[in-house]
Amino acid sequence: MYTTFQKVLAEFIGTFALIFFGAGSICADRYLQASGGSLGLLGIALAHGLAIAIMVSALGHISGGHFNPAVSIGFWVTKRISTSEVFLYWAAQVLGGIAAAFLLRALFPEETWRAVALGTPELVRDFSRLSAMILEAVATFFLVFVVFATAVDERGAFRAIAGFGIGLTFTLGFLVIGPLTGAALNPARAFGPALASNHWTNWGVYWIGPLAGGFLAGLFYDSLYLKKSV
């Protein structure tokens, strides 16, 4: 058994890695554009997905490998973590995102990180907030659904490979909705860079959408597949 401190620290580290490598890939892409290079959408999506896959594989046995308030709310609504634990997890996730974002701000040239607001998710021009919120909710629903199917359900695709299924789901979500919403799928992923770059446009999309998707996914999988097996 791991202590609460160890679990919370694991959530901080995992979320830090997601924002550092995920948002960092957006900053790196912008930096490369100055010399005619680019990571492109696929490269950025893979950076996010691989970061999650590796961190879930490395730390999932300690904290559950949430690294995302939307995943934690799915665990909370199905009573897999307590109310006090979910707030501690959220605090660790948000602080991890903030720390990573400020480190990126310190390391990248100012003209680079300012041009992309440190990788803060943003809506494409003339795209409605409601549509963006729905896209974020649907993509996050499938992300949390896969978390439950692989990392929670003992009859699922084995916990040993859960990280890769979760990471690939995030990569898929980023490829599809990234060009439209920036694909946060995670409030901490949006909040850290937004705070460090002071870029708060449409921030409600990246809290309401993912949290709603995670909440519904947890309830759906638990009620449909887990409770009947008890």
Side-chain angles (χ1 to χ4, degrees), residues 33-51:
Q33 288 175 14
S35 57
S38 176
L39 291 178
L41 177 63
L42 179 59
I44 294 170
L46 284 172
H48 284 82
L50 287 171

Side-chain angles (χ1 to χ4, degrees), residues 43-131:
I44 294 170
L46 284 172
H48 284 82
L50 287 171
I52 294 175
I54 293 167
M55 287 298 101
V56 171
S57 299
L59 300 173
H61 64 288
I62 298 174
S63 66
H66 299 187
F67 317 137
N68 183 343
V71 175
S72 296
I73 201 171
F75 275 66
W76 172 77
V77 74
T78 56
K79 297 181 171 57
R80 284 176 169 78
I81 59 175
S82 67
T83 300
S84 60
E85 285 178 314
V86 78
F87 280 114
L88 287 172
Y89 271 40
W90 283 352
Q93 292 155 1
V94 170
L95 289 173
I98 291 171
F102 274 99
L103 180 59
L104 290 172
R105 173 174 170 161
L107 295 175
F108 276 94
E110 183 174 356
E111 62 269 21
T112 297
W113 68 256
R114 281 197 182 278
V116 292
L118 280 169
T120 304
E122 182 57 283
L123 305 189
V124 71
R125 186 176 179 180
D126 298 327
F127 197 69
S128 76
R129 291 186 181 92
L130 178 59
S131 295

Side-chain angles (χ1 to χ4, degrees), residues 8-230:
V8 169
L9 183 59
E11 286 295 308
F12 175 92
I13 294 169
T15 312
F16 181 99
L18 168 61
I19 280 67
F20 182 80
F21 292 112
S25 69
I26 296 174
C27 294
D29 180 70
R30 178 65 184 185
Y31 184 81
L32 288 171
Q33 288 175 14
S35 57
S38 176
L39 291 178
L41 177 63
L42 179 59
I44 294 170
L46 284 172
H48 284 82
L50 287 171
I52 294 175
I54 293 167
M55 287 298 101
V56 171
S57 299
L59 300 173
H61 64 288
I62 298 174
S63 66
H66 299 187
F67 317 137
N68 183 343
V71 175
S72 296
I73 201 171
F75 275 66
W76 172 77
V77 74
T78 56
K79 297 181 171 57
R80 284 176 169 78
I81 59 175
S82 67
T83 300
S84 60
E85 285 178 314
V86 78
F87 280 114
L88 287 172
Y89 271 40
W90 283 352
Q93 292 155 1
V94 170
L95 289 173
I98 291 171
F102 274 99
L103 180 59
L104 290 172
R105 173 174 170 161
L107 295 175
F108 276 94
E110 183 174 356
E111 62 269 21
T112 297
W113 68 256
R114 281 197 182 278
V116 292
L118 280 169
T120 304
E122 182 57 283
L123 305 189
V124 71
R125 186 176 179 180
D126 298 327
F127 197 69
S128 76
R129 291 186 181 92
L130 178 59
S131 295
M133 200 177 298
I134 293 171
L135 285 177
E136 288 283 332
V138 172
T140 308
F141 176 94
F142 282 103
L143 175 64
V144 178
F145 185 90
V146 170
V147 170
F148 271 75
T150 57
V152 177
D153 193 338
E154 295 181 354
R155 301 167 302 173
F158 312 112
R159 294 183 182 182
I161 64 169
F164 293 97
I166 295 165
L168 286 172
T169 305
F170 196 103
T171 300
L172 180 63
F174 199 103
L175 287 171
V176 174
I177 75 169
L180 299 172
T181 72
L185 282 66
N186 181 340
R189 166 65 183 83
F191 185 84
L195 179 65
S197 64
N198 194 31
H199 185 80
W200 296 105
T201 307
N202 302 310
W203 64 270
V205 168
Y206 305 108
W207 279 89
I208 298 171
L211 287 176
F215 186 94
L216 292 174
L219 277 180
F220 181 80
Y221 196 96
D222 183 71
S223 61
L224 188 60
Y225 297 115
L226 296 178
K227 287 186 175 179
K228 290 183 180 181
S229 65
V230 176

